[in-house]
Every structure is written in C-alpha cells, then in structure tokens.
Amino acid sequence: MVCMMLDGALRPVKDRYLGPVVSGPVGRLHPTLLSALSLLPAVGAGIAASQQLALVAVVLWLLSRLADGLDGAVARDRGTASDLGGFVDIVFDTIGYAAIPLGVAAGIDSRAGWIVTAVLLATFYVNAVSWTYIAAVLEKRGSAGGVTSVVMPRGLVEGTETIVFFTLALAVPSIAVWVFGVMAAAVTVTVLERLWWSRSVLR
C-alpha cells in the first residue's frame, strides 16, 4: 500500500480550524473564486522570489495555501462541490507548483539552481502521470473518492509536504538547491511507491 503521510493526519485539524472561517463571510464566496484567489498569490510568490523578496514570497505563498484549503471546504459546506471545481483546483495548484520553483531558480540564477529545478519539475511531471493514471483506474473500478473530487492515491510527498518544502526554499533561498534536491528525491520515492503498489493491484 502506498505510504500515507501528513495530509491524512492533518486534515481533521485543518477542518477544525477552517470551520469558523467557512461559516463566516468567507463562506459566502464562490469556491471557484477562492481557487482563483489561491492561484494569484502563488504566482505572485514566484515573482517575488525571482526578485529576492523572501518575506513577501513566503507571505503570498502561505496566503495561497490558505485560500486553497478554503475552496473545497466552502464547496462541501454549501453542498456545491463539483467535478468542475475539483478540476479547476488541481489545474491552479499545478500552476502554482510550477511558479514557485521557477521563481526561486530565477532569484538564485545559478547553474545548480536551474538544474535542480529542472529535475524537480521533471519528477512532478512523472508523479502527475503516476497518480492521475491510478486515480482513473480506481475511479473505473468504483473506489470511494473520500473528500476529494477524485480518488487520490497516497504518497510520500503530498500537499502538506509541498507546503513545507516550498516555504523553506522561499524563506531561505541560499539552501533552496538542497531543499529542491531532497524534494525531488522524495517525489521520486513517491512514484516508486506507486509503481510497486501497482504491481499487485493494477492487473
């Protein structure tokens, strides 16, 4: 079975703390608007990182993750969760996940920085293929989707781990090469986990 990391353990904590926010004025916003509000500061964080504005980049990145946590919570609370909303959320997250390492690499602007960023984004690409294919097969087989719009196979690196890695790289660009290197290795492990798991399940 694929290793389950922090997302599953922290989801009840997130839901508990976001509950009062969802029940307030934020809960009247359309979930897709919240998804857009998660994308804009994520891209802004990448731009800030490229200009070596570390504090601004971190603040924008964390704001984007807050909005990303709210869109699904608001949709479920209002009973408006949809496949379209889930699709928009994933696409916007993916854009943000590309903007951050590219922005950090532009700010560092070193050969090592660009190489490790290219490797990291390559692991993201392979990881996206691995989880989306498994998700499609599990959906075809009628597996339960849980709280997300599609069946999300678990892995070593998920949303929470991505927030931690990217926050470190944005806050301390001088160690970003090492942070991205460790993250690329961890994403690779995630892909290998799924390949191993698929040997006995996807027949």
Side-chain angles (χ1 to χ4, degrees):
M1 182 64 179
V2 175
C3 177
M4 174 178 172
M5 293 303 287
L6 295 176
D7 275 16
L10 293 181
R11 184 174 295 278
V13 177
K14 182 187 75 172
D15 290 344
R16 181 167 68 251
Y17 282 102
L18 290 183
V21 179
V22 170
S23 62
V26 172
R28 292 195 288 272
L29 298 176
H30 196 281
T32 303
L33 174 59
L34 289 169
S35 295
L37 291 176
S38 74
L39 172 63
L40 294 177
V43 173
I47 295 172
S50 73
Q51 300 301 309
Q52 300 181 337
L53 301 173
L55 179 59
V56 175
V58 170
V59 170
L60 288 173
W61 168 241
L62 294 179
L63 283 174
S64 79
R65 295 307 85 198
L66 175 60
D68 182 59
L70 285 169
D71 58 2
V74 168
R76 289 188 294 273
D77 184 70
R78 294 173 53 175
T80 58
S82 67
D83 290 338
L84 175 61
F87 174 70
V88 169
D89 182 44
I90 289 173
V91 170
F92 285 3
D93 279 351
T94 303
I95 295 171
Y97 288 173
I100 297 302
L102 287 173
V104 171
I108 298 172
D109 198 22
S110 68
R111 181 177 176 82
W114 283 114
I115 289 174
V116 76
T117 298
V119 171
L120 177 63
L121 292 178
T123 64
F124 283 1
Y125 177 85
V126 177
N127 183 55
V129 171
S130 74
W131 84 255
T132 52
Y133 185 85
I134 292 174
V137 172
L138 294 178
E139 290 282 355
K140 183 176 71 172
R141 295 180 178 183
S143 299
V147 297
T148 55
S149 58
V150 296
V151 179
M152 298 288 285
R154 315 306 299 192
L156 181 62
V157 176
E158 299 179 333
T160 303
E161 291 79 17
T162 300
I163 293 172
V164 172
F165 279 121
F166 281 3
T167 301
L168 282 174
L170 291 168
V172 192
S174 61
I175 66 168
V177 169
W178 294 101
V179 171
F180 286 169
V182 171
M183 187 177 188
V187 174
T188 300
V189 170
T190 297
V191 174
L192 293 175
E193 283 184 298
R194 292 182 179 135
L195 286 173
W196 180 261
W197 174 80
S198 68
R199 290 171 65 253
S200 60
V201 177
L202 302 183
R203 294 183 182 275

